[in-house]
Amino acid sequence: MITRICPIDGSSLAEAKRILETGGTVAFPTETVYGLGADARSDEAVRGIYAVKGRPSDNPLIVHVHQDYDLNELVFDDRPYAKLLRDAFLPGPLTLVYKSRAAVSSAVSCGLDTLAVRVPQHAGAQRFLRYVGLPVAAPSANRSKHVSPVTAQHVYGDLAGRIPLILDGGACSGGIESTVCDVTGSSPVILREGLVTREQIAAVAGSCGVYKAKEGEQVRSPGMKYKHYAPQCKTVLFPAEELAGAVSYFAEREQAGSRIMALCEHAAASAFPAGKALDLGTCGKEFAANLYERLHEAEERCDELVAVEPRERGGVMAGVLNRLRKACGAEK
Ligand code: AMP
Ligand code: MG
């Protein structure tokens, strides 16, 4: 199969619609990462997503809709605070998990009685979703377990030959996946941290929990149990307070002949040899915007990556730290 990268215009949208209506998959940009979309109502189309990605079949998908789509077609929306969250954050990088009306393929939620719905903010995503008019099931447009794509070229690198069309909307500005928040209970619970923070949700809804699976318990967000996001190079992760240890490890490995680079916050970059540090920036927002781009860069430029955690922990950095640990931590 030939994979084309096309700017978003009348002719690529018409082609995208035709592909989705015939059960195929199309990659499209959002403000977080690129998505791999298919018609959420079709079992066959949704199974196609899992096949293209090599995604485990028990990791549910998020359904994407445009801003004026009638949510009541898809879910039961009975929590007043959920409307407050939509008004405050949507369209945007926040996915809400509701009780499902079972209006889409059961393969989307992998048999769960809930459905995750997202309204992306990216103008190209909105245009695409409006044009096709369907609920579009979409995970990130990468091979399962690889780093999420933040450019059309990243998608091409992973999925060339496996999908017919990549809608190119430029580099994603947000950089990490959406916050996933369960709104089925009496107060919101974050299942996956992201660009919309626990603090922001609590300020609107009154309170907000962060779900942590207990030992032996069935996980509520199946995707969280998977080792995700890893780059192809070898990675070693150091806590922020062990910067000196990271620097001496780096020197040792470089001396031994390793093609090695560092990945760290701006303030730590000068501790490594000039030109050898991939700088993630100075705050959570910058880290999020840069993380996957730098991990893709690391794959090109080195065989081993020494990552150092940021000193900051709260806000957007909570989601960034979760992705950094999954990408570079020992527990792969
Ligand atoms: P991805 O599309 O790869 O960014 O992953 C989607 C994330 O949303 C995964 O962490 C899933 O476990 C989570 N998710 C999707 N649908 C549901 C659902 N119905 N209930 C809980 N988590 C969900
Ligand atoms: Mg993903």
Side-chain angles (χ1 to χ4, degrees):
M1 182 187 290
I2 292 176
T3 302
R4 291 170 57 220
I5 301 182
C6 296
I8 301 174
D9 57 22
S11 95
S12 63
L13 287 172
E15 191 187 345
K17 186 166 193 220
R18 188 187 54 74
I19 293 167
L20 292 193
E21 283 174 350
T22 52
T25 54
V26 170
F28 65 99
T30 78
E31 69 277 20
T32 59
V33 304
Y34 272 71
L36 179 65
D39 181 353
R41 302 164 314 172
S42 157
D43 291 333
E44 194 198 334
V46 173
R47 276 199 295 269
I49 293 178
Y50 286 90
V52 165
K53 278 182 64 89
R55 183 175 173 107
S57 59
D58 62 347
N59 187 1
L61 305 176
I62 294 168
V63 167
H64 294 64
V65 293
H66 63 74
Q67 209 170 340
D68 302 315
Y69 195 94
D70 182 6
L71 257 189
N72 293 309
E73 285 183 17
L74 300 174
V75 296
F76 295 100
D77 170 34
D78 48 9
R79 297 292 179 180
Y81 71 81
K83 178 170 171 16
L84 299 179
L85 294 179
R86 287 197 300 276
D87 290 346
F89 301 114
L90 301 192
L94 175 66
T95 297
L96 298 176
V97 174
Y98 304 86
K99 283 267 176 262
S100 177
R101 282 191 191 270
V104 296
S105 163
S106 61
V108 170
S109 290
C110 305
L112 298 171
D113 61 359
T114 52
L115 185 69
V117 183
R118 173 155 132 72
V119 182
Q121 189 173 48
H122 189 287
Q126 277 292 325
R127 204 172 155 199
F128 161 68
L129 292 166
R130 229 176 254 285
Y131 191 97
V132 300
L134 302 167
V136 173
S140 50
N142 52 290
R143 293 281 288 167
S144 189
K145 300 199 176 66
H146 190 216
V147 180
S148 294
V150 292
T151 65
Q153 286 66 35
H154 293 157
V155 180
Y156 190 87
D158 260 25
L159 301 181
R162 306 178 75 88
I163 59 172
L165 178 64
I166 302 168
L167 295 174
D168 188 350
C172 304
S173 58
I176 62 169
E177 298 82 352
S178 62
T179 304
V180 178
C181 182
D182 185 322
V183 294
T184 61
S186 55
S187 60
V189 177
I190 290 181
L191 304 178
R192 175 177 75 184
E193 292 174 300
L195 293 167
V196 176
T197 65
R198 190 194 69 73
E199 294 86 342
Q200 287 176 304
I201 293 175
V204 171
S207 68
C208 177
V210 178
Y211 174 71
K212 294 252 172 343
K214 297 194 187 73
E215 191 109 16
E217 188 190 34
Q218 201 192 1
V219 281
R220 258 167 66 192
S221 183
M224 295 308 276
K225 74 181 180 214
Y226 288 106
K227 297 145 194 166
H228 251 106
Y229 318 115
Q232 276 144 10
C233 50
K234 184 183 167 208
T235 56
V236 193
L237 181 64
F238 286 83
E241 53 284 2
E242 287 177 28
L243 175 62
V247 170
S248 54
Y249 178 84
F250 185 102
E252 218 173 88
R253 295 292 305 144
E254 192 173 45
Q255 194 111 64
S258 173
R259 203 163 68 103
I260 191 166
M261 290 192 80
L263 179 75
C264 57
E265 64 187 18
H266 183 70
S270 59
F272 295 94
K276 291 292 172 76
L278 298 166
D279 184 347
L280 286 167
T282 57
C283 62
K285 265 206 162 137
E286 284 180 24
F287 264 62
N290 291 329
L291 180 64
Y292 291 149
E293 181 61 48
R294 298 285 185 274
L295 289 174
H296 278 102
E297 197 180 334
E299 288 185 333
E300 301 289 319
R301 294 182 57 191
C302 62
D303 299 322
E304 195 173 348
L305 185 67
V306 174
V308 185
E309 291 184 357
R311 285 166 300 174
E312 189 187 321
R313 293 280 145 101
V316 175
M317 209 55 112
V320 169
L321 205 51
N322 161 278
R323 308 307 193 283
L324 184 67
R325 286 179 177 160
K326 285 192 167 202
C328 300
E331 234 181 286
K332 289 275 159 59

